[in-house]
Amino acid sequence: MFQKIQPPSDGEKIEMRDEKLFVPDNPIIPYFVGDGIGPDIFKATLPTLDAAVQKAYGGSKKISWFKIYAGDEARAFYNPELTDEELLKIPIDEQRNVYLPKDTLNAIREYKVALKGPLTTPIGEGFRSLNVGIRQILDLYVCVRPVKYFQGVPTRTKFPEELDIVIFRENSEDVYSGIEFAKDDENQKKLLKLLRSMGKVIREDSGIGIKPISETGSKRLVRAAIKYAIEKNLPLVTLVHKGNIMKYTEGAFKNWGYEVATSEFREQIITEDELWDKHDGKMPEGKILINDRIADIIFQHILLRSSEFSVLATMNLNGDYISDAAAAIVGGLGMAPGANINYVTGVMVAEATHGTAPKYTDMDKVNPSSVMLSAAIMFDYMGWPEAGELIQRGIQRAVANKEVTYDLARQMDNVTPIKCSEFGHAVVKYM
Ligand code: NAP
């Protein structure tokens, strides 16, 4: 199956049967460290994850890590002789294979759950982000971003502890689907002409991007968000949209969201209209409320009424903005975890949400919390929540004891930063 990589001989595959994930006690989990600070954060993270699993399950569970390759490391491993000039001569899609080899995608497909490091978008005209590429190729249609406060993390906000939300961001469509035409491009001109024939006039010197929002894409995203709320016993799923302005895309997302809620989860949910029409504003016991909010007001509400939110279901672009704004409320992106999931195939790729921060490469300096907390989401998804909770606890207590890397230390008074690797040891010590 693989051209140049070898899975570990001990361990078994995670499998998906009848839409359920089956996780053996010794799963094989592929990972790649990525570029820039990726190797440093993984050096600190993998032993920490092993320690969490050991502590949580006393040796009855264990991960067999499977090293796979992406980014610069993939190019060096699979094509060590390839020069930049040779690279630029090959077609764009094949260029991508150099940084994102078939082996890597096959390993993730086959073993279902993987952990990824940050990737640089490589040189080359027209090269699309490898991170977006992984999501699209594997159709990882949900990006899960939990946002909550860790006591002791320096913030600019007054009540960061009131925000405890999980954002379900649609990952496969919207203006991110890559259908764009540059000003003066031949296809842009054809499109303008077609639009004119429909009575829609656009300035000739416009770049054009297309925003597809499908019923399929919207419903599978909202379905995943509601299932998550049911599983975790959460009180509310909010559909976020700008349907007042974009009726057939954002407005349709909202309508399809309510359709899924009322047709597939009738027994478990009530809508906000029903809450007032039938229950006089009092939530019936054991039900989940489904409401919707306009995207722009959400930015104000998560700041001013943080505790009123629980699960947010969003389209791609809104979700992108809201995820980072929410992370800012609790102290910034340095601690923000994320994971991309296809709940039908079972494939999940957990990832640090920050980039490669190239100026800190090999300095053993940066904060590995984001990838550690992403692994905690991964454990939760695997049905190993105890290991995830230990990671959270270790980070929480390391921060509370001011044993932190430079990014947090510089915002605290009289704190000497520790190294990335030392932070890993601190998390293990405090689990
Ligand atoms: P970035 O790599 O996230 O770094 C921006 C700044 O954020 C850093 O200079 C540093 O701030 C801080 N930072 C990031 N990670 C940190 C960590 N673990 N600990 C402490 N501080 C951290 O963003 P960028 O500079 O815009 O992007 C660099 C490259 O990463 C680009 O090629 C981009 O395409 C790629 N990228 C990849 C992903 C991904 O793989 N998912 C995501 C975003 C960007 P200070 O300078 O203040 O110390």
Side-chain angles (χ1 to χ4, degrees), residues 37 41 116-122 129-131 135 333-334 351-360 365-370 405-408 410:
I37 55 172
I41 59 176
K116 91 174 254 304
L119 292 172
T120 313
T121 299
S129 153
L130 295 173
N131 302 301
R135 289 171 210 157
L333 275 180
E351 66 170 333
T353 49
H354 56 72
T356 59
K359 67 183 174 186
Y360 296 125
K365 180 174 168 127
V366 296
N367 186 350
S369 296
S370 176
T405 46
Y406 85 97
D407 53 316
L408 299 186
R410 70 185 169 188

Side-chain angles (χ1 to χ4, degrees), residues 12-54:
E12 292 168 64
K13 279 180 193 167
I14 293 176
E15 284 180 303
M16 191 75 173
R17 292 179 229 133
D18 302 326
E19 293 194 15
K20 267 193 79 181
L21 202 66
F22 286 83
V23 180
D25 283 339
N26 183 196
I28 293 174
I29 299 191
Y31 72 97
F32 62 79
V33 300
D35 301 322
I37 55 172
D40 274 354
I41 59 176
F42 270 78
K43 243 179 262 156
T45 297
L46 295 187
T48 307
L49 305 187
D50 288 336
V53 172
Q54 170 64 31

Side-chain angles (χ1 to χ4, degrees), residues 169-188:
R169 168 187 167 196
E170 207 289 325
N171 237 351
S172 70
E173 45 188 35
D174 204 343
V175 283
Y176 282 68
S177 48
I179 311 173
E180 285 196 295
F181 303 96
K183 166 176 108 69
D184 299 335
D185 180 273
E186 271 316 301
N187 287 323
Q188 181 259 21

